[in-house]
Amino acid sequence: MTQQSSLSTSPPEAAQKVPHRWRNLATLTGVTVVDNTEAGMINTLFPSIAAALRLDNSGLGVIAALGKIIAVPAGPFWVWLATKIGRRAALVLTTVLGGAFGIATGFSQDFVQLAVLATLMAACLIGGSPIANAVIADSFSDRERGKAAGLFYGGVNAIASFVGPLIALFTGITDGWRFGMWALGGLCLVAGLMVWVLFRDPGVGASDGIAAPATSAVVLQKTSFRRVLSLFTIPTFSVMMISRLLSGHLLITIFGIQFLVTERGFDNATAAIVLIPFGIGYIIGTVGGGFTLPTLDRIMELRGRVFFMQLAQLVFAVAAYFGTQIVFEGILAYGVFWALMGLGQGMNPPVNRPIVSSVVPAALRGQAFAIWLTGFETVAWAIFSLGAGQLADTLGLQQVFLYVLVGSMLLNALLLTVLYRTYPRDVARAAREQGLLRA
């Protein structure tokens, strides 16, 4: 009875330290920066692309939507393929194929070619995210996963904030967007080589002591469609998926600048200034959150993670209320609240990834992240972007932001209260199952 009580209130301990984990984290960070930058480069370069190929703004919407739609089946496919050929080979393949399609995209002569090749590029690059998150979970103990996730996402966003604008400098020359796509495609090929040389797969469940670090990345039990569906029988996992659908903060990155231009009267260049404090706030949230989580684990045990995640939603909702519902004179005031929104948004990755990792079987972590990051997040993106776009025409963006950025985030924080009951129980169950596998 005493042992079960301990398992239900304390984060599980690691059975062993995994070799090469920090080198793997650095390698995955570098690769993810390149992959994410290339995947989003169409948005950055689109004004030049539109001028060269005679496109209008609807073309960007179509390409962005196709990239999100293809992610739904592509994410789980890459995770499945990783169980057949190994995660290192799958990471190399996603990056190299993504780079190849990125280079091909630079040769596009019309919209159809651009849309097809950009979609294929997105389908390849999406595979890296769920695999990388599963590898991080297999490389670091439960107590260290928040710190690792914080450094990973903080590093990705910090480096990407410089890489994107540097690549955009190509637009200053004739057909510069093509050179931008070719350059990033070439970087993807180099990144794939880096993975092949530097990455060492820890083995599924290595940080939990289920698989020896020297083993290859194959599943410990046969992963079937029925087993994947069984993830939804884990109450904590289901709550986390519903929470993703209520993540209204996704909307600020889509319509935030548009709001400042249309509702507050700033010009485009001035409005874009808020992206700097938003990015800084996000990095502070991810890295700082990762280093704060172990302290909360010691003070509040598992319930500290739920509290921290609720706090993230509340910080964002309060900042969004003041930043979007109250009128200020200059852009600097908005920059303060955009920084706080970035902080609230950035606080999520170092806590929600470890929560999911600690309640799902090690062999299914990749599929769990694929369902979450390429499935439910895509649905949420579609709901908020398409719905908000329609409602904004009648209600205005300020009113939409009140409902979504403030209202849905407060509702999200309320929903997460359920985790105070389900999360300790699910951690205890997962720990018992892993104990049986180790035995």
Side-chain angles (χ1 to χ4, degrees):
M1 181 69 69
T2 303
Q3 182 181 6
Q4 182 175 350
S5 175
S6 176
L7 282 172
S8 66
T9 58
S10 300
E13 297 289 349
Q16 56 189 316
K17 289 189 179 295
V18 179
H20 312 299
R21 54 186 184 158
W22 292 110
R23 186 176 74 182
N24 284 344
L25 185 68
T27 304
L28 290 173
T29 300
V31 171
T32 304
V33 168
V34 175
D35 287 355
N36 285 2
T37 303
E38 184 177 39
M41 192 46 58
I42 293 293
N43 299 342
T44 302
L45 299 177
F46 191 77
S48 295
I49 296 174
L53 301 183
R54 298 178 182 177
L55 306 178
D56 55 28
N57 290 332
S58 63
L60 176 58
V62 170
I63 292 173
L66 288 174
K68 292 294 183 180
I69 292 170
I70 197 66
V72 177
F77 166 78
W78 282 109
V79 174
W80 170 83
L81 184 64
T83 67
K84 303 299 180 183
I85 66 175
R87 293 188 290 196
R88 183 174 73 155
L91 284 169
V92 171
L93 196 58
T94 64
T95 305
V96 169
L97 284 179
F101 281 121
I103 293 172
T105 302
F107 288 99
S108 299
Q109 298 300 314
D110 55 41
F111 175 72
V112 173
Q113 292 180 16
L114 180 72
V116 170
L117 291 171
T119 301
L120 291 172
M121 177 183 69
C124 293
L125 296 177
I126 195 62
S129 180
I131 295 175
N133 276 280
V135 169
I136 291 172
D138 290 331
S139 301
F140 294 87
S141 71
D142 182 78
R143 291 187 183 277
E144 297 174 312
R145 284 172 191 155
K147 184 187 300 183
L151 291 172
F152 175 72
Y153 282 97
V156 167
N157 282 276
I159 300 172
S161 65
F162 292 98
V163 174
L166 285 176
I167 295 295
L169 292 177
F170 281 111
T171 59
I173 62 176
T174 304
D175 277 339
W177 70 271
R178 299 186 188 274
F179 289 98
M181 295 304 303
W182 294 337
L184 268 177
L187 285 176
C188 272
L189 299 182
V190 174
L193 179 62
M194 285 177 54
V195 174
W196 188 256
V197 173
L198 298 176
F199 179 76
R200 296 292 180 270
D201 197 305
V204 174
S207 63
D208 302 293
I210 299 173
T215 58
S216 60
V218 295
V219 293
L220 304 173
Q221 301 174 13
K222 184 176 180 180
T223 302
S224 63
F225 183 66
R226 180 176 296 180
R227 285 202 72 209
V228 173
L229 287 181
S230 72
L231 289 170
F232 291 97
T233 66
I234 303 172
T236 296
F237 183 78
S238 295
V239 171
M240 293 297 288
M241 297 307 102
I242 298 172
S243 173
R244 203 60 176 176
L245 294 178
L246 292 174
S247 296
H249 59 68
L250 299 172
L251 198 64
I252 194 65
T253 59
I254 302 171
F255 289 102
I257 303 303
Q258 180 72 359
F259 165 80
L260 291 174
V261 172
T262 60
E263 302 281 336
R264 295 296 182 260
F266 295 104
D267 61 73
N268 201 157
T270 302
I273 292 174
V274 299
L275 294 178
I276 298 174
F278 183 90
I280 294 172
Y282 186 93
I283 293 169
I284 293 173
T286 53
V287 178
F291 281 87
T292 301
L293 210 60
T295 302
L296 282 178
D297 284 341
R298 289 193 298 270
I299 298 173
M300 302 177 66
E301 299 179 329
L302 289 173
R303 291 175 176 82
R305 301 182 178 191
V306 182
F307 169 77
F308 188 81
M309 193 156 55
Q310 285 184 306
L311 181 63
Q313 318 312 307
L314 293 174
V315 167
F316 186 93
V318 171
Y321 176 80
F322 285 98
T324 65
Q325 302 303 306
I326 297 177
V327 179
F328 298 99
E329 289 298 325
I331 195 64
L332 292 181
Y334 291 99
V336 171
F337 293 108
W338 250 254
L340 291 173
M341 282 190 279
L343 176 69
Q345 192 172 114
M347 289 168 65
N348 282 286
V351 65
N352 57 25
R353 270 66 171 176
I355 284 179
V356 171
S357 296
S358 62
V359 299
V360 303
L364 295 178
R365 281 176 184 149
Q367 292 293 357
F369 283 119
I371 291 170
W372 183 22
L373 299 177
T374 66
F376 277 71
E377 183 171 291
T378 298
V379 172
W381 179 91
I383 291 174
F384 287 125
S385 60
L386 296 177
Q390 295 295 322
L391 288 174
D393 290 338
T394 55
L395 301 178
L397 271 176
Q398 178 169 321
Q399 196 70 15
V400 170
F401 278 1
L402 178 63
Y403 296 145
V404 178
L405 298 185
V406 181
S408 75
M409 296 302 285
L410 292 176
L411 183 61
N412 200 348
L414 182 63
L415 168 71
L416 294 173
T417 304
V418 177
L419 295 181
Y420 285 111
R421 178 176 293 272
T422 66
Y423 182 48
R425 292 178 179 178
D426 289 336
V427 169
R429 173 200 49 75
R432 287 194 297 271
E433 292 176 358
Q434 290 171 359
L436 291 174
L437 287 173
R438 282 196 294 266

